[in-house]
Amino acid sequence: MGLGNDLSKFIPKDFGKKKKSIAKQSSAVETPRTEPSSAQTELTKTNVTEPHDERKQSTVAELDLPTSQHVLLKRHTKAVSALAWDAPGDSIVSGEHGPSINLWDFPTMDHTFQPFGTIVPYEGQQTRAIKYNASGTHFICATSAPRAKLYTRMGRAAGECKSGDMYVMDMRRTNGHVSGLMCVDWDPQRDSRFVTGAGDSTLRFWDTERMVQEQVVVVKTKQRGKVAVTACAFSASGSMVVSAQCGGISVWPSKGPFVRPVQHVDNAHSSDTSLAFVPASEHLFVSRGDACVKLWDVRNLKTEVAMAEGLVGNESIAFSPDGTLLLVGLGSGSATPNSEAMVAVLDSSTLNEHRRISLGEPGDVLSIAWNSTINQIACGLSTGSIAITYDPALSTRGAMLGITKRSRTYVANTSTGPIITPHSLPLFREDRPVSTKRRHDKDRADPIRSNKPSMPVRGHGKGGVVGVNETQHIMKSIMKDTMRDEDPREALLRYAQVAESDPKFITPLYKETQGKPVFSEEVEEPEMKRRK
């Protein structure tokens, strides 16, 4: 029995699970379009170089890397030094080698990819680290200033840490850092707790609810003087904190005691170090410095578990969501950046290099972050751009939302028709007499028009004005009445010489008429009278 052409197209020809076709899924994204000349975005294919080790023949598709395409976010004027995703992947925060921090929100973006806000925590201070908490409601930024600043995800300031006293020698006796911050990390089990490291040889734990310091750890090394804590990281359970300073690595319990580290190794690296715990692992973490990456076990830091060399860059590392892959941002290691930005893909358990991926843009990769929810990778470049890589078959939302979204165009109304305003005509205007007394009373009630002086504040001060009670207390402490503490005889004798040399009161009045005073002379009594 034959079927017609109209009916046969509804009958399935094969059954079973079908694999998604990357070409079909990405057809909507790769549709040619005319971009405006002012648009600051590019959509290109990401090139994949041959593996550094010829024995590894794995492809990007086999590794499930979302790097088939990428978009560029161009707003920074300096190198992008810090990146942070929120948990859902809708927002990203980026900082540069300058004071500006840009806030990006992908659901509200169009194809121009512009940030919705820019904040400046401290004028003239470089941004060194930015981290979101586990819930994505707040992020903390560490700059070259000694105070960390807390913001909501919309960019509103929510708190600020205190700075310490630089004249105190014992860093345990001051309630804040005294030098520029270097690193910051959140407690994964507690959204109101984070740790900061600075150039004053200390790690400090903070509480965001009160913005006070909870504990302080003084890091000691063989080097004399203060050393900079260049990196710090919490373990997955939040029970341990790893710090890197002066090439060494120390493991501390997050809740103390902080007298000495649980584990310590010297000369792990010869330069500044970055740290990151392997996801879903309580004991393994990775350190990067001096062009090599090392895998460590916190239970034994005498020797590294694995090591990969020849990875020149600026200490930027990121793990895949399942923790099986490690991304390492590469750089030139000199003042001249690379002609092509590269990212190395390593096996997190053995640190064997699978291959290197080219982003198709010039510059060094200074910061890198991989969001597990939307499966997209953000790379901060030395040219001031942010490259976000994705795969239409593996990624969702994020940067893909604004690719096909056009910006709104506003057309001015150029109609020259008559404008009718009937209530402005004299026919409809009502002349209401205004009472002079009522206007006078209204002006008297207005403190600005009546030039009413500000009344003294009773009780506690408010609005920057100190209250009366506080003012009296301050004045009493400044102007003390010490009359009751003085000896009256000493107070009178203090003016005896002045009164004799320059009399001004009773004596000059009777000087001409007063006779010479005659005083009785002491006469010696007879000896017989004295005996009685």
Side-chain angles (χ1 to χ4, degrees):
M1 180 179 179
L3 297 176
N5 294 331
D6 297 337
L7 183 60
S8 61
K9 63 181 180 180
F10 295 103
I11 304 299
K13 300 298 187 300
D14 51 356
F15 301 92
K17 186 176 180 181
K18 303 174 185 176
K19 294 184 179 180
K20 294 182 179 179
S21 175
I22 297 178
K24 292 182 179 180
Q25 293 291 335
S26 60
S27 59
V29 179
E30 298 179 0
T31 302
R33 62 182 187 276
T34 304
E35 296 289 350
S37 59
S38 62
Q40 297 180 348
T41 180
E42 296 184 18
L43 178 62
T44 59
K45 288 282 187 179
T46 304
N47 299 324
V48 179
T49 62
E50 291 300 321
H52 207 59
D53 188 358
E54 295 296 337
R55 293 173 296 178
K56 296 289 183 179
Q57 298 297 331
S58 59
T59 62
V60 175
E62 294 175 356
L63 296 176
D64 290 336
L65 292 175
T67 56
S68 63
Q69 300 178 20
H70 75 272
V71 295
L72 286 182
L73 310 182
K74 296 183 179 181
R75 184 60 182 269
H76 289 284
T77 58
K78 299 181 180 180
V80 181
S81 58
L83 284 173
W85 289 94
D86 65 345
D90 294 333
S91 301
I92 191 171
V93 183
S94 59
E96 62 181 11
H97 283 176
S100 300
I101 294 178
N102 288 330
L103 309 175
W104 313 80
D105 186 53
F106 294 110
T108 59
M109 281 185 183
D110 53 17
H111 68 282
T112 59
F113 289 101
Q114 296 297 317
F116 75 90
T118 301
I119 58 177
V120 179
Y122 299 102
E123 194 68 37
Q125 304 294 335
Q126 174 186 341
T127 305
R128 291 178 175 172
I130 302 175
K131 288 294 181 66
Y132 264 103
N133 59 359
S135 60
T137 58
H138 293 79
F139 67 88
I140 195 80
C141 62
T143 64
S144 54
R147 294 176 293 177
K149 211 160 187 180
L150 180 68
Y151 290 91
T152 63
R153 64 184 307 272
M154 299 305 296
R156 297 177 182 175
E160 184 179 10
C161 297
K162 295 181 180 179
S163 58
D165 189 351
M166 66 178 66
Y167 298 104
V168 177
M169 298 301 295
D170 189 358
M171 290 293 99
R172 296 182 182 90
R173 303 296 180 182
T174 181
N175 294 326
H177 291 289
V178 298
S179 61
L181 300 178
M182 303 295 294
C183 55
V184 64
D185 195 19
W186 285 92
D187 189 339
Q189 303 299 328
R190 182 179 163 192
D191 281 349
S192 61
R193 188 170 185 250
F194 65 93
V195 63
T196 56
D200 55 1
S201 301
T202 61
L203 280 170
R204 298 181 187 269
F205 296 86
W206 302 86
D207 183 12
T208 59
E209 295 178 355
R210 298 177 296 164
M211 289 308 295
V212 295
Q213 174 184 295
E214 289 184 342
Q215 292 105 1
V216 57
V217 181
V218 178
V219 180
K220 296 181 181 180
T221 60
K222 296 180 180 180
Q223 180 179 346
R224 288 188 175 183
K226 297 179 180 179
V227 295
V229 181
T230 58
C232 60
F234 272 99
S235 62
S237 63
S239 60
M240 291 180 294
V241 175
V242 179
S243 64
Q245 60 283 332
C246 195
I249 299 175
S250 302
V251 180
W252 307 86
S254 63
K255 297 183 180 180
F258 303 112
V259 179
R260 60 179 58 89
V262 178
Q263 292 284 340
H264 178 76
V265 58
D266 290 320
N267 302 323
H269 295 277
S270 60
S271 63
D272 295 340
T273 309
S274 60
L275 299 171
F277 266 90
V278 178
S281 176
E282 186 65 21
H283 306 289
L284 299 178
F285 68 93
V286 169
S287 64
R288 184 188 181 188
D290 51 83
C292 70
V293 177
K294 296 182 180 181
L295 179 65
W296 303 87
D297 191 336
V298 296
R299 294 166 292 188
N300 184 12
L301 291 184
K302 293 182 180 180
T303 180
E304 65 273 5
V305 179
M307 182 176 65
E309 297 179 333
L311 302 172
V312 181
N314 296 76
E315 290 78 46
S316 56
I317 54 178
F319 281 97
S320 61
D322 56 359
T324 58
L325 299 178
L326 175 65
L327 301 184
V328 179
L330 303 179
S332 61
S334 62
T336 304
N338 288 334
S339 59
E340 199 169 9
M342 304 286 292
V343 176
V345 183
L346 309 181
D347 189 333
S348 62
S349 59
T350 61
L351 296 186
N352 293 330
E353 184 174 345
H354 289 294
R355 62 177 55 245
R356 297 189 178 185
I357 300 173
S358 173
L359 299 179
E361 301 294 333
D364 299 340
V365 180
L366 304 184
S367 55
I368 188 169
W370 193 336
N371 187 274
S372 59
T373 305
I374 62 176
N375 197 20
Q376 296 182 15
I377 304 172
C379 301
L381 307 181
S382 59
T383 57
S385 302
I386 302 174
I388 300 181
T389 66
Y390 65 93
D391 191 320
L394 303 174
S395 306
T396 58
R397 303 193 317 273
M400 300 169 59
L401 297 176
I403 294 176
T404 57
K405 188 184 297 184
R406 297 292 176 177
S407 58
R408 296 181 179 180
T409 56
Y410 298 93
V411 180
N413 188 7
T414 58
S415 60
T416 57
I419 300 175
I420 302 174
T421 55
H423 293 284
S424 64
L425 299 176
L427 178 63
F428 300 96
R429 190 177 302 163
E430 297 181 2
D431 296 331
R432 297 181 180 178
V434 181
S435 175
T436 307
K437 182 178 182 303
R438 186 175 300 176
R439 182 186 300 173
H440 178 73
D441 294 342
K442 187 176 181 181
D443 292 343
R444 289 290 294 173
D446 190 356
I448 299 177
R449 291 188 177 183
S450 61
N451 296 326
K452 181 180 179 181
S454 58
M455 301 299 292
V457 180
R458 301 291 180 182
H460 297 286
K462 60 181 180 179
V465 181
V466 182
V468 176
N469 296 340
E470 286 79 359
T471 306
Q472 292 177 354
H473 177 72
I474 294 173
M475 296 304 296
K476 285 181 179 180
S477 62
I478 296 175
M479 303 174 62
K480 294 184 178 180
D481 187 7
T482 59
M483 184 177 294
R484 301 185 64 179
D485 300 335
E486 296 182 1
D487 188 3
R489 183 175 178 275
E490 293 181 359
L492 291 174
L493 291 177
R494 194 182 301 144
Y495 299 96
Q497 186 177 358
V498 178
E500 184 179 354
S501 60
D502 187 16
K504 296 181 179 180
F505 300 101
I506 299 177
T507 305
L509 184 63
Y510 300 97
K511 187 174 182 180
E512 296 179 359
T513 59
Q514 186 72 21
K516 184 177 181 182
V518 179
F519 300 98
S520 63
E521 298 179 356
E522 183 178 359
V523 180
E524 186 177 358
E525 295 181 355
E527 184 178 356
M528 296 299 294
K529 193 172 182 181
R530 288 199 301 268
R531 288 180 181 178
K532 293 182 180 180

